[in-house]
Amino acid sequence: MDVIFSTLMLLYQLVTGTGEENVASKQLAASLFNAAAGQTIIDAVPAMNSNATPEAVGDSVKADPQPDAPGVKGVYVTAHSAGGARLNTLLNLMDDTALNSMVIDIKDDNGYITYPTKTPELLKLGTTQKYISDIHALMSKLEAHKVYPIARIVVFKDTVLAKKHPEFSYLHQDGSLWANGNGDIFVNPYMPEVWKYNVDIAKEAVSLGFKEIQFDYVRFPEGFEKKADSLTYTKTDQSRVDAVAGFVQYAREQLEPLGVRVSVDIFGYAASVPAAEGIGQDFVKISSDVHVISPMIYPSHYSTGWFDQQDPDKSPYATIAGAMKDTHKKLEPIGDKKPIIRPWIQDFTASWLGKGHFIKYGKTEVEAQIKALHDAGVDEYLLWNAGNHYSEGVQY
């Protein structure tokens, strides 16, 4: 067998060469040699310059790998909560209400893998924290309480990876890392190494028992378009929109055969405007290649005038109703490629909006948002509260 393996590897190198321009031939050759060997001996190579858009995949079939999944009504759970005493409170919430799902940070907003993985491929690029000290015990508890587990993976907002590998990020002329106006450091969606790293984390999450992978920050950083010409970074002839859509397609094609759904968080207003070229988010292209789309339609995130509201935060029903009307209209043209619509809604008080421009959110406001979704034909949703303190008494 060693002789066969060595021969196949030699042929692979001869056929494909070593340059990035040979990525397409590497993909084809890998498939052929793996088939000949009867096993995977050469990992798939993510496309570097492929225009991986829904249009390019043609008749590619997107099948739901979780057709028997429950209608998801879930909450966001930080790794701190999942690995700490607060988990029991959240499990009680699941037991006592119609809520049935948790979206848990597996790779967080800083870029840390939130449990002590021992997988060499992940440790090569990633950095772990022991927020969830026993990931297997966590998964067992979720299963015992019949919680549908969703792994949240923050993709291109990744300070940890950027500092470890500056070549994966954006550099000033002096070689220092660029951060946007919010102080966030992102890695580059043009880099296939970044694609593969995040999908490898997702694959481990699948092996742990997660039923869905939710990718967040699937975009270029806000404000990037104003600085792009002065920064040093790797790019291809693709647009930013196509680079981001390419990652989504690659992720789905890698993960769908494993029996796991792929979902993406996206700005809610992306359904109401043309493609956000600056950050590379096209609502329709991304939606065409995921099983679930989760627009973040928090009323507090819409400014004066949206949906004819002076202060959208103070009008939770009208704001959500308007956002859903735009979402349905945006997705109507993609027909059978339309994903499940499962929005993020607000269970927090946006006091930063200033006196007179916000209201305190609780049972009434959460239920108003849920009613707006239901009236729009949407029965799945996720509740966001950064501290995981959810309103009491809500009828879900």
Side-chain angles (χ1 to χ4, degrees):
M1 187 64 189
D2 288 343
V3 173
I4 295 173
F5 177 84
S6 299
T7 303
L8 285 171
M9 289 304 296
L10 177 60
L11 286 171
Y12 176 74
Q13 293 297 332
L14 289 172
V15 170
T16 64
T18 58
E20 288 296 343
E21 70 277 5
N22 292 303
V23 166
S25 60
K26 287 176 183 286
Q27 290 176 314
L28 177 59
S31 298
L32 292 173
F33 292 144
N34 289 341
Q39 60 179 300
T40 301
I41 61 173
I42 302 169
D43 288 334
V45 181
M48 182 70 175
N49 293 306
S50 169
N51 290 315
T53 65
E55 290 79 10
V57 298
D59 295 329
S60 175
V61 177
K62 180 178 69 176
D64 187 352
Q66 290 278 326
D68 298 323
V72 170
K73 298 180 179 181
V75 298
Y76 167 62
V77 178
T78 66
H80 289 281
S81 291
R86 182 146 192 82
L87 178 65
N88 290 329
T89 300
L90 295 169
L91 288 173
N92 289 337
L93 182 63
M94 298 286 120
D95 293 340
D96 297 339
T97 71
L99 294 174
N100 62 1
S101 180
M102 293 185 186
V103 180
I104 300 172
D105 281 338
I106 293 303
K107 176 170 175 266
D108 68 14
D109 290 58
N110 293 311
Y112 290 115
I113 298 171
T114 61
Y115 60 95
T117 179
K118 296 179 181 178
T119 304
E121 291 81 4
L122 300 186
L123 293 173
K124 182 178 179 181
L125 294 182
T127 302
T128 65
Q129 293 287 346
K130 296 182 180 179
Y131 301 136
I132 304 172
S133 60
D134 190 338
I135 188 70
H136 298 289
L138 170 63
M139 299 308 296
S140 294
K141 284 185 179 180
L142 297 179
E143 184 177 9
H145 288 265
K146 298 181 180 179
V147 175
Y148 185 78
I150 301 174
R152 177 176 180 256
I153 295 175
V154 177
V155 182
F156 297 118
K157 180 184 176 184
D158 194 331
T159 299
V160 172
L161 181 59
K163 289 184 175 180
K164 198 171 182 179
H165 287 276
E167 70 274 17
F168 292 166
S169 188
Y170 313 101
L171 304 179
H172 291 291
Q173 296 303 314
D174 63 3
S176 61
L177 286 165
W178 173 76
N180 68 3
N182 296 324
D184 302 324
I185 300 178
F186 279 60
V187 288
N188 183 359
Y190 284 112
M191 301 293 291
E193 295 90 344
V194 175
W195 289 18
K196 186 176 186 303
Y197 168 57
N198 282 277
V199 170
D200 283 347
I201 295 172
K203 287 179 177 178
E204 179 154 285
V206 176
S207 73
L208 292 169
F210 284 94
K211 303 299 184 184
E212 181 174 317
I213 304 300
Q214 184 185 94
F215 292 112
D216 201 358
Y217 287 88
V218 185
R219 59 179 177 82
F220 287 78
E222 294 166 276
F224 172 76
E225 68 275 14
K226 299 176 182 178
K227 298 290 293 184
D229 291 342
S230 65
L231 298 173
T232 299
Y233 64 99
T234 297
K235 67 177 296 185
T236 70
D237 58 358
Q238 284 183 289
S239 68
R240 290 191 282 270
V241 163
D242 284 346
V244 169
F247 165 75
V248 175
Q249 181 190 23
Y250 168 72
R252 180 182 65 79
E253 290 178 347
Q254 290 287 306
L255 296 171
E256 187 177 87
L258 304 180
V260 65
R261 281 176 172 174
V262 171
S263 60
V264 165
D265 294 339
I266 192 167
F267 283 127
Y269 68 74
S272 305
V273 299
E277 303 284 349
I279 60 173
Q281 279 194 339
D282 184 304
F283 197 94
V284 173
K285 285 187 175 182
I286 290 175
S287 295
S288 296
D289 242 324
V290 294
H291 306 106
V292 181
I293 191 73
S294 290
M296 298 173 284
I297 54 172
Y298 315 120
S300 61
H301 283 30
Y302 292 92
S303 56
T304 298
W306 276 96
F307 312 121
D308 298 322
Q309 303 304 309
Q310 178 66 27
D311 293 297
D313 185 72
K314 296 166 69 176
S315 303
Y317 180 92
T319 303
I320 298 299
M324 283 298 94
K325 182 179 179 180
D326 284 355
T327 298
H328 284 309
K329 183 178 179 179
K330 189 74 137 181
L331 295 181
E332 185 178 356
I334 66 176
D336 59 3
K337 287 188 176 181
K338 186 176 179 179
I340 295 168
I341 299 170
R342 188 196 299 147
W344 281 102
I345 60 174
Q346 180 171 331
D347 195 0
F348 57 85
T349 298
S351 56
W352 60 85
L353 295 174
K355 186 177 181 180
H357 300 291
F358 74 94
I359 56 176
K360 181 176 175 58
Y361 269 59
K363 169 182 163 63
T364 300
E365 292 70 28
V366 172
E367 289 180 349
Q369 295 174 86
I370 293 171
K371 185 178 188 307
L373 291 176
H374 181 75
D375 290 349
V378 175
D379 294 318
E380 296 195 22
Y381 50 83
L382 301 168
L383 301 172
W384 181 274
N385 180 287
N388 307 159
H389 296 280
Y390 296 99
S391 296
E392 296 182 359
V394 175
Q395 295 298 310
Y396 297 109

